[in-house]
PDB file of all heavy atoms in Angstrom:
ATOM      1  N   ILE A  28       5.930  -1.458   6.496  1.00  0.00           N
ATOM      2  CA  ILE A  28       6.705  -2.614   6.055  1.00  0.00           C
ATOM      3  C   ILE A  28       6.351  -3.823   6.895  1.00  0.00           C
ATOM      4  O   ILE A  28       6.279  -3.774   8.159  1.00  0.00           O
ATOM      5  CB  ILE A  28       8.263  -2.345   6.244  1.00  0.00           C
ATOM      6  CG1 ILE A  28       8.721  -1.211   5.318  1.00  0.00           C
ATOM      7  CG2 ILE A  28       9.003  -3.580   5.696  1.00  0.00           C
ATOM      8  CD1 ILE A  28      10.109  -0.714   5.409  1.00  0.00           C
ATOM      9  N   PHE A  29       6.089  -4.846   6.222  1.00  0.00           N
ATOM     10  CA  PHE A  29       5.893  -6.205   6.925  1.00  0.00           C
ATOM     11  C   PHE A  29       6.526  -7.279   6.156  1.00  0.00           C
ATOM     12  O   PHE A  29       6.826  -7.166   4.960  1.00  0.00           O
ATOM     13  CB  PHE A  29       4.308  -6.503   7.048  1.00  0.00           C
ATOM     14  CG  PHE A  29       3.617  -6.742   5.808  1.00  0.00           C
ATOM     15  CD1 PHE A  29       3.556  -7.944   5.310  1.00  0.00           C
ATOM     16  CD2 PHE A  29       3.011  -5.625   5.085  1.00  0.00           C
ATOM     17  CE1 PHE A  29       2.921  -8.152   4.123  1.00  0.00           C
ATOM     18  CE2 PHE A  29       2.464  -5.790   3.989  1.00  0.00           C
ATOM     19  CZ  PHE A  29       2.332  -7.034   3.378  1.00  0.00           C
ATOM     20  N   MET A  30       6.866  -8.317   6.970  1.00  0.00           N
ATOM     21  CA  MET A  30       7.570  -9.547   6.398  1.00  0.00           C
ATOM     22  C   MET A  30       6.722 -10.742   6.831  1.00  0.00           C
ATOM     23  O   MET A  30       6.066 -10.713   7.958  1.00  0.00           O
ATOM     24  CB  MET A  30       8.931  -9.651   6.805  1.00  0.00           C
ATOM     25  CG  MET A  30       9.794  -8.616   6.377  1.00  0.00           C
ATOM     26  SD  MET A  30      11.465  -8.773   6.876  1.00  0.00           S
ATOM     27  CE  MET A  30      12.122 -10.127   5.788  1.00  0.00           C
ATOM     28  N   THR A  31       6.483 -11.618   5.916  1.00  0.00           N
ATOM     29  CA  THR A  31       5.805 -12.892   6.216  1.00  0.00           C
ATOM     30  C   THR A  31       6.688 -14.124   5.875  1.00  0.00           C
ATOM     31  O   THR A  31       7.776 -14.033   5.040  1.00  0.00           O
ATOM     32  CB  THR A  31       4.400 -12.988   5.385  1.00  0.00           C
ATOM     33  OG1 THR A  31       4.828 -13.383   4.024  1.00  0.00           O
ATOM     34  CG2 THR A  31       3.667 -11.756   5.537  1.00  0.00           C
ATOM     35  N   ASP A  32       6.307 -15.313   6.406  1.00  0.00           N
ATOM     36  CA  ASP A  32       6.773 -16.568   5.881  1.00  0.00           C
ATOM     37  C   ASP A  32       6.208 -17.059   4.608  1.00  0.00           C
ATOM     38  O   ASP A  32       5.252 -16.266   4.133  1.00  0.00           O
ATOM     39  CB  ASP A  32       6.776 -17.584   7.091  1.00  0.00           C
ATOM     40  CG  ASP A  32       5.306 -17.969   7.298  1.00  0.00           C
ATOM     41  OD1 ASP A  32       4.415 -17.725   6.628  1.00  0.00           O
ATOM     42  OD2 ASP A  32       5.027 -18.562   8.382  1.00  0.00           O
ATOM     43  N   PRO A  33       6.594 -18.025   4.099  1.00  0.00           N
ATOM     44  CA  PRO A  33       5.998 -18.508   2.786  1.00  0.00           C
ATOM     45  C   PRO A  33       4.479 -18.698   2.846  1.00  0.00           C
ATOM     46  O   PRO A  33       3.814 -18.748   1.858  1.00  0.00           O
ATOM     47  CB  PRO A  33       6.768 -19.800   2.406  1.00  0.00           C
ATOM     48  CG  PRO A  33       7.998 -19.772   3.201  1.00  0.00           C
ATOM     49  CD  PRO A  33       7.698 -18.857   4.474  1.00  0.00           C
ATOM     50  N   ASP A  34       3.916 -18.991   4.014  1.00  0.00           N
ATOM     51  CA  ASP A  34       2.545 -19.381   4.239  1.00  0.00           C
ATOM     52  C   ASP A  34       1.667 -18.065   4.530  1.00  0.00           C
ATOM     53  O   ASP A  34       0.508 -18.134   5.040  1.00  0.00           O
ATOM     54  CB  ASP A  34       2.329 -20.414   5.212  1.00  0.00           C
ATOM     55  CG  ASP A  34       3.052 -21.633   4.916  1.00  0.00           C
ATOM     56  OD1 ASP A  34       2.912 -22.127   3.722  1.00  0.00           O
ATOM     57  OD2 ASP A  34       3.676 -22.274   5.749  1.00  0.00           O
ATOM     58  N   GLU A  35       2.209 -16.822   4.369  1.00  0.00           N
ATOM     59  CA  GLU A  35       1.654 -15.553   4.512  1.00  0.00           C
ATOM     60  C   GLU A  35       1.560 -15.145   6.015  1.00  0.00           C
ATOM     61  O   GLU A  35       0.627 -14.301   6.351  1.00  0.00           O
ATOM     62  CB  GLU A  35       0.172 -15.493   3.955  1.00  0.00           C
ATOM     63  CG  GLU A  35       0.116 -15.617   2.375  1.00  0.00           C
ATOM     64  CD  GLU A  35      -1.294 -15.570   1.988  1.00  0.00           C
ATOM     65  OE1 GLU A  35      -2.072 -14.618   2.314  1.00  0.00           O
ATOM     66  OE2 GLU A  35      -1.728 -16.427   1.220  1.00  0.00           O
ATOM     67  N   GLN A  36       2.167 -15.822   6.806  1.00  0.00           N
ATOM     68  CA  GLN A  36       2.121 -15.512   8.306  1.00  0.00           C
ATOM     69  C   GLN A  36       3.196 -14.455   8.697  1.00  0.00           C
ATOM     70  O   GLN A  36       4.267 -14.627   8.350  1.00  0.00           O
ATOM     71  CB  GLN A  36       2.243 -16.793   9.226  1.00  0.00           C
ATOM     72  CG  GLN A  36       1.387 -18.029   8.859  1.00  0.00           C
ATOM     73  CD  GLN A  36       0.008 -17.560   8.832  1.00  0.00           C
ATOM     74  OE1 GLN A  36      -0.571 -17.063   9.958  1.00  0.00           O
ATOM     75  NE2 GLN A  36      -0.768 -17.763   7.748  1.00  0.00           N
ATOM     76  N   ILE A  37       2.651 -13.320   9.377  1.00  0.00           N
ATOM     77  CA  ILE A  37       3.635 -12.258   9.563  1.00  0.00           C
ATOM     78  C   ILE A  37       4.646 -12.712  10.549  1.00  0.00           C
ATOM     79  O   ILE A  37       4.353 -13.286  11.580  1.00  0.00           O
ATOM     80  CB  ILE A  37       2.776 -11.085  10.225  1.00  0.00           C
ATOM     81  CG1 ILE A  37       1.869 -10.523   9.270  1.00  0.00           C
ATOM     82  CG2 ILE A  37       3.763 -10.084  10.775  1.00  0.00           C
ATOM     83  CD1 ILE A  37       0.825  -9.417   9.774  1.00  0.00           C
ATOM     84  N   THR A  38       5.909 -12.391  10.265  1.00  0.00           N
ATOM     85  CA  THR A  38       7.033 -12.593  10.989  1.00  0.00           C
ATOM     86  C   THR A  38       7.726 -11.362  11.611  1.00  0.00           C
ATOM     87  O   THR A  38       8.503 -11.330  12.570  1.00  0.00           O
ATOM     88  CB  THR A  38       8.123 -13.247  10.212  1.00  0.00           C
ATOM     89  OG1 THR A  38       8.590 -12.531   9.067  1.00  0.00           O
ATOM     90  CG2 THR A  38       7.689 -14.757   9.749  1.00  0.00           C
ATOM     91  N   TRP A  39       7.417 -10.101  10.941  1.00  0.00           N
ATOM     92  CA  TRP A  39       7.884  -8.889  11.431  1.00  0.00           C
ATOM     93  C   TRP A  39       7.120  -7.743  10.813  1.00  0.00           C
ATOM     94  O   TRP A  39       6.719  -7.867   9.669  1.00  0.00           O
ATOM     95  CB  TRP A  39       9.393  -8.802  10.885  1.00  0.00           C
ATOM     96  CG  TRP A  39      10.232  -7.555  11.491  1.00  0.00           C
ATOM     97  CD1 TRP A  39      10.696  -7.339  12.687  1.00  0.00           C
ATOM     98  CD2 TRP A  39      10.310  -6.282  10.820  1.00  0.00           C
ATOM     99  NE1 TRP A  39      11.285  -6.107  12.818  1.00  0.00           N
ATOM    100  CE2 TRP A  39      10.977  -5.390  11.650  1.00  0.00           C
ATOM    101  CE3 TRP A  39       9.848  -5.839   9.443  1.00  0.00           C
ATOM    102  CZ2 TRP A  39      11.327  -4.162  11.248  1.00  0.00           C
ATOM    103  CZ3 TRP A  39      10.256  -4.560   9.154  1.00  0.00           C
ATOM    104  CH2 TRP A  39      10.929  -3.672  10.048  1.00  0.00           C
ATOM    105  N   VAL A  40       6.998  -6.664  11.696  1.00  0.00           N
ATOM    106  CA  VAL A  40       6.373  -5.462  11.169  1.00  0.00           C
ATOM    107  C   VAL A  40       7.148  -4.197  11.778  1.00  0.00           C
ATOM    108  O   VAL A  40       7.794  -4.457  12.787  1.00  0.00           O
ATOM    109  CB  VAL A  40       4.862  -5.209  11.560  1.00  0.00           C
ATOM    110  CG1 VAL A  40       3.953  -6.471  11.049  1.00  0.00           C
ATOM    111  CG2 VAL A  40       4.812  -5.316  13.006  1.00  0.00           C
ATOM    112  N   ASN A  41       7.140  -3.159  10.980  1.00  0.00           N
ATOM    113  CA  ASN A  41       7.868  -2.088  11.521  1.00  0.00           C
ATOM    114  C   ASN A  41       6.835  -1.151  12.403  1.00  0.00           C
ATOM    115  O   ASN A  41       5.767  -1.293  12.487  1.00  0.00           O
ATOM    116  CB  ASN A  41       8.487  -1.193  10.403  1.00  0.00           C
ATOM    117  CG  ASN A  41       7.560  -0.493   9.520  1.00  0.00           C
ATOM    118  OD1 ASN A  41       6.354  -0.757   9.398  1.00  0.00           O
ATOM    119  ND2 ASN A  41       8.101   0.441   8.699  1.00  0.00           N
ATOM    120  N   ASN A  42       7.494  -0.048  12.954  1.00  0.00           N
ATOM    121  CA  ASN A  42       6.726   0.830  13.748  1.00  0.00           C
ATOM    122  C   ASN A  42       5.517   1.433  13.046  1.00  0.00           C
ATOM    123  O   ASN A  42       4.486   1.723  13.531  1.00  0.00           O
ATOM    124  CB  ASN A  42       7.601   1.980  14.292  1.00  0.00           C
ATOM    125  CG  ASN A  42       8.685   1.436  15.200  1.00  0.00           C
ATOM    126  OD1 ASN A  42       8.542   0.285  15.804  1.00  0.00           O
ATOM    127  ND2 ASN A  42       9.731   2.149  15.364  1.00  0.00           N
ATOM    128  N   ALA A  43       5.789   1.779  11.743  1.00  0.00           N
ATOM    129  CA  ALA A  43       4.703   2.489  10.918  1.00  0.00           C
ATOM    130  C   ALA A  43       3.469   1.498  10.724  1.00  0.00           C
ATOM    131  O   ALA A  43       2.475   1.952  10.694  1.00  0.00           O
ATOM    132  CB  ALA A  43       5.222   2.894   9.545  1.00  0.00           C
ATOM    133  N   PHE A  44       3.706   0.149  10.717  1.00  0.00           N
ATOM    134  CA  PHE A  44       2.653  -0.769  10.541  1.00  0.00           C
ATOM    135  C   PHE A  44       1.850  -0.744  11.842  1.00  0.00           C
ATOM    136  O   PHE A  44       0.600  -0.675  11.840  1.00  0.00           O
ATOM    137  CB  PHE A  44       3.260  -2.237  10.368  1.00  0.00           C
ATOM    138  CG  PHE A  44       2.137  -3.340  10.377  1.00  0.00           C
ATOM    139  CD1 PHE A  44       1.794  -3.775   9.054  1.00  0.00           C
ATOM    140  CD2 PHE A  44       1.566  -3.770  11.481  1.00  0.00           C
ATOM    141  CE1 PHE A  44       0.861  -4.728   9.042  1.00  0.00           C
ATOM    142  CE2 PHE A  44       0.611  -4.741  11.414  1.00  0.00           C
ATOM    143  CZ  PHE A  44       0.227  -5.211  10.211  1.00  0.00           C
ATOM    144  N   GLU A  45       2.511  -0.659  13.037  1.00  0.00           N
ATOM    145  CA  GLU A  45       1.718  -0.542  14.309  1.00  0.00           C
ATOM    146  C   GLU A  45       1.003   0.678  14.263  1.00  0.00           C
ATOM    147  O   GLU A  45      -0.122   0.718  14.834  1.00  0.00           O
ATOM    148  CB  GLU A  45       2.785  -0.715  15.425  1.00  0.00           C
ATOM    149  CG  GLU A  45       3.417  -2.117  15.466  1.00  0.00           C
ATOM    150  CD  GLU A  45       4.419  -2.183  16.644  1.00  0.00           C
ATOM    151  OE1 GLU A  45       4.852  -1.111  17.221  1.00  0.00           O
ATOM    152  OE2 GLU A  45       4.773  -3.306  17.048  1.00  0.00           O
ATOM    153  N   LYS A  46       1.650   1.835  13.921  1.00  0.00           N
ATOM    154  CA  LYS A  46       0.991   3.143  13.966  1.00  0.00           C
ATOM    155  C   LYS A  46      -0.272   3.043  13.199  1.00  0.00           C
ATOM    156  O   LYS A  46      -1.336   3.540  13.575  1.00  0.00           O
ATOM    157  CB  LYS A  46       1.916   4.181  13.490  1.00  0.00           C
ATOM    158  CG  LYS A  46       1.314   5.582  13.414  1.00  0.00           C
ATOM    159  CD  LYS A  46       2.241   6.590  12.921  1.00  0.00           C
ATOM    160  CE  LYS A  46       1.462   7.877  12.419  1.00  0.00           C
ATOM    161  NZ  LYS A  46       1.944   8.579  11.283  1.00  0.00           N
TER     162      LYS A  46
END
Side-chain angles (χ1 to χ4, degrees):
I28 301 175
F29 63 90
M30 295 181 74
T31 73
D32 64 17
D34 299 318
E35 297 182 51
Q36 306 306 302
I37 293 174
T38 58
W39 184 84
V40 298
N41 70 344
N42 295 339
F44 181 99
E45 292 179 345
K46 176 187 164 218

